[in-house]
């Protein structure tokens, strides 16, 4: 077993190697290093503290089960984030939280008042319907393409685009 003074004493590659060797200290360091950012991602998607924690736990179980497949083609954090996003989406789908819109809503720029605070925007985003919020966050915050989101969620690209437009329309209404 490897002993480490602090979690900053170990590189990402060494951390992965030690986790692959079932070093529990390294596994704890990996979890501690990424848990806050990954919880934030899960919570933004699910908008429920307990469900976000469940998704985070399931995601890290998957991370440790599949760490041998991590090939360093991206950062460890990006790889973990992909797993967390997928777990959060699965959790949300189990809750049947997606609303499908058949009507296309045209995308317009969102004019916000100059005095808008980050907290007000966060509250408005969290108030969106679950499906629209999830797709809005994946596209506009996380930077996924509509095709990627459609594949992850098992929906059409058109549905992804209409959900983002719907979310923007609601945000315009709520923040004007």
């Amino acid at each position: 077993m490897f002993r480490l003074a602090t979690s900053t004493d170990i590189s990402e590659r060494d951390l992965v190697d030690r986790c692959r060797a079932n070093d529990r200290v390294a596994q704890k360091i990996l979890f501690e290093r990424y848990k806050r950012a990954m919880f934030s991602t899960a919570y933004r998607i699910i908008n429920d503290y307990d469900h976000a924690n469940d998704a985070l736990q399931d995601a890290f179980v998957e991370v440790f089960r599949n760490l041998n497949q991590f090939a360093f083609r991206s950062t460890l954090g990006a790889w973990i984030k992909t797993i967390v996003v997928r777990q959060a989406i699965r959790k949300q789908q189990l809750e049947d939280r997606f609303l499908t819109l058949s009507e296309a809503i045209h995308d317009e720029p969102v004019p916000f008042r100059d005095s808008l605070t980050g907290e007000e925007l966060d509250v408005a985003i969290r108030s969106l319907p679950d499906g629209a919020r999830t797709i809005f966050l994946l596209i506009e915050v996380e930077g996924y393409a509509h095709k990627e989101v459609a594949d992850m969620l098992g929906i059409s690209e058109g549905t992804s685009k209409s959900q983002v437009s719907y979310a923007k329309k609601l945000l315009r209404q709520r923040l004007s």
Side-chain angles (χ1 to χ4, degrees):
M1 175 151 61
F2 301 96
R3 296 282 177 207
L4 304 168
T6 67
S7 66
T8 58
D9 291 343
I10 186 169
S11 71
E12 193 171 89
R13 188 169 293 274
D14 286 341
L15 185 60
V16 169
D17 289 342
R18 291 175 181 186
C19 286
R20 286 174 175 166
N22 292 320
D23 179 344
R24 297 290 185 203
V25 172
Q27 290 171 343
K28 182 173 178 14
I29 290 169
L30 185 145
F31 177 75
E32 292 295 326
R33 189 178 281 185
Y34 291 100
K35 72 178 182 183
R36 281 199 170 108
M38 299 307 151
F39 174 80
S40 177
T41 297
Y43 182 75
R44 282 193 316 258
I45 292 169
I46 298 173
N47 201 28
D48 179 279
Y49 182 84
D50 292 330
H51 289 157
N53 272 315
D54 289 347
L56 183 69
Q57 179 178 341
D58 292 345
F60 272 96
V61 167
E62 188 174 337
V63 164
F64 290 120
R65 277 190 187 140
N66 296 301
L67 202 51
N68 285 331
Q69 296 175 16
F70 178 62
F72 292 95
R73 286 181 285 224
S74 67
T75 65
L76 180 60
W79 183 74
I80 293 171
K81 189 176 207 173
T82 299
I83 294 170
V84 169
V85 166
R86 288 183 178 150
Q87 282 293 341
I89 289 168
R90 279 187 210 120
K91 184 79 171 159
Q92 199 166 45
Q93 286 174 330
L94 288 174
E95 299 292 321
D96 199 26
R97 297 176 171 204
F98 287 97
L99 170 70
T100 302
L101 299 178
S102 57
E103 172 184 332
I105 301 169
H106 297 288
D107 200 12
E108 301 171 18
V110 181
F112 296 118
R113 64 183 190 280
D114 292 336
S115 62
L116 179 66
T117 66
E119 185 176 330
E120 290 172 308
L121 181 58
D122 187 51
V123 167
I125 291 171
R126 283 184 302 170
S127 74
L128 293 171
D130 293 331
R133 183 188 65 252
T134 298
I135 294 171
F136 175 82
L137 288 167
L138 290 172
I139 299 291
E140 299 296 333
V141 177
E142 300 296 335
Y144 287 95
H146 284 287
K147 177 154 181 39
E148 292 173 297
V149 171
D151 290 344
M152 280 191 276
L153 299 176
I155 60 175
S156 71
E157 283 185 65
T159 299
S160 177
K161 290 175 183 178
S162 70
Q163 288 284 298
V164 169
S165 293
Y166 178 60
K168 288 179 179 180
K169 177 183 175 187
L170 290 176
L171 287 173
R172 277 191 295 276
Q173 292 169 352
R174 292 174 183 175
L175 295 171
S176 59

